Amino acid sequence: SLAAMIVCVLCIGVLCLLNFLRVSKLPFYFITGVLLWLAMLQSGVHATLAGVIVSLFIPLERKDGEPFLKALYADLNPWVSFFILPLFAFGNAGVDLRQMDLSFLFSSVSLGIFFGLFIGKQVGVFLFSWLSIKLHLAHLPQNVSYKEFYGICILTGIGFTMSLFIDGLAYSDIDAFGHADRLAILLASFTSAIVAYTYIRIVKKD
C-alpha cells in the first residue's frame, strides 16, 4: 500500500525531528509509534519493525543532560516483563480459546502435562540436585539452605517455550491432542511462577 508507506515515512520524519529536538515526553513517541505500527500493518511490511524504528530515535539524554532512555527503561520494564511479554507469548502459543471447553483442562492428557511440569519438574530437579550434592558432584551456593533452594526448583516449571516446541513435534498429527495441552503448559508455567514467588517470600521472612 503506497499510501500506508507514505504515512510510515512521515512518522519516521516526525521521530527524527523529536530526536533532533531532544523531546523527552513519552506520549509524543507513543502516539507516533502507534501510528507507525498501524501504517506498517496496512503497508504489508511486518509491523514489529515499528518498535525497532521508534527505539532508534529515542534520545539518550534530555536537554539538561539528565538520562532519558535509562529512566524510560526503568519505567517500562515492569510493564514489559509482567504484561507485554506474557501476552506476546500467550498470543504466539497457538491457543484458540474460541472452541475451548473447561472440561478439556481436566482430561488425562492436560492433567498429565500440568502436573508433569508443575510437580515433576520441581521434584526431579530437587532430587537429582540433592543426590549430586550427596555424591560430592556439586554443592549448594554459599549461605543457601535446601529450603531456599527448593524455591528455585519450583521456578523450573516456568519453562513453557521448549514444552510447547516438544508438544508441537510430538502431537502434531494426532487429533486427540489440541489446544488444551498447550493451555495446560501455560497454566503450569503460570502456577509455578506464582507458587515459587509466594514460597520464596515466606522462606525469606523466616
Side-chain angles (χ1 to χ4, degrees):
S1 172
L2 180 59
M5 289 298 298
I6 292 174
V7 174
C8 289
V9 173
L10 291 175
C11 288
I12 293 173
V14 172
L15 289 170
C16 185
L17 181 62
L18 291 173
N19 178 274
F20 178 77
L21 298 175
R22 288 194 182 184
V23 175
S24 56
K25 300 294 183 181
L26 182 59
F28 289 101
Y29 295 95
F30 178 78
I31 293 172
T32 308
V34 170
L35 291 175
L36 178 61
W37 184 87
L38 291 172
M40 281 200 163
L41 185 65
Q42 294 298 319
S43 70
V45 179
H46 205 292
T48 53
L49 290 176
V52 178
I53 294 172
V54 173
S55 66
L56 290 174
F57 288 99
I58 295 177
L60 295 174
E61 299 177 344
R62 294 185 172 94
K63 291 181 179 179
D64 56 5
E66 290 294 319
F68 174 62
L69 185 61
K70 187 176 181 180
L72 182 61
Y73 171 82
D75 292 337
L76 294 178
N77 188 51
W79 291 95
V80 173
S81 299
F82 299 113
F83 178 71
I84 295 175
L85 282 179
L87 184 64
F88 178 81
F90 187 80
N92 284 273
V95 180
D96 188 353
L97 297 178
R98 291 172 298 180
Q99 300 178 352
M100 185 65 64
D101 190 282
L102 192 61
S103 61
F104 293 167
L105 295 176
F106 296 97
S107 67
S108 58
V109 174
S110 296
L111 290 176
I113 290 173
F114 179 86
F115 289 113
L117 276 175
F118 177 59
I119 302 296
K121 289 284 288 290
Q122 58 180 278
V123 172
V125 170
F126 182 82
L127 288 179
F128 276 93
S129 299
W130 177 83
L131 184 61
S132 299
I133 292 169
K134 292 300 180 181
L135 294 176
H136 302 289
L137 299 175
H139 58 83
L140 281 173
Q142 189 175 2
N143 300 322
V144 174
S145 65
Y146 279 110
K147 185 167 65 173
E148 294 169 331
F149 176 69
Y150 193 77
I152 306 301
C153 295
I154 302 175
L155 284 173
T156 61
I158 296 177
F160 59 87
T161 50
M162 187 56 67
S163 299
L164 289 170
F165 176 69
I166 298 298
D167 174 74
L169 292 178
Y171 304 131
S172 60
D173 298 328
I174 302 177
D175 294 335
F177 299 89
H179 297 293
D181 50 336
R182 299 179 185 177
L183 187 58
I185 292 172
L186 295 175
L187 288 175
S189 297
F190 181 76
T191 304
S192 297
I194 297 299
V195 172
Y197 174 80
T198 305
Y199 177 87
I200 293 172
R201 286 292 298 268
I202 294 174
V203 169
K204 285 182 65 178
K205 289 182 180 179
D206 296 338

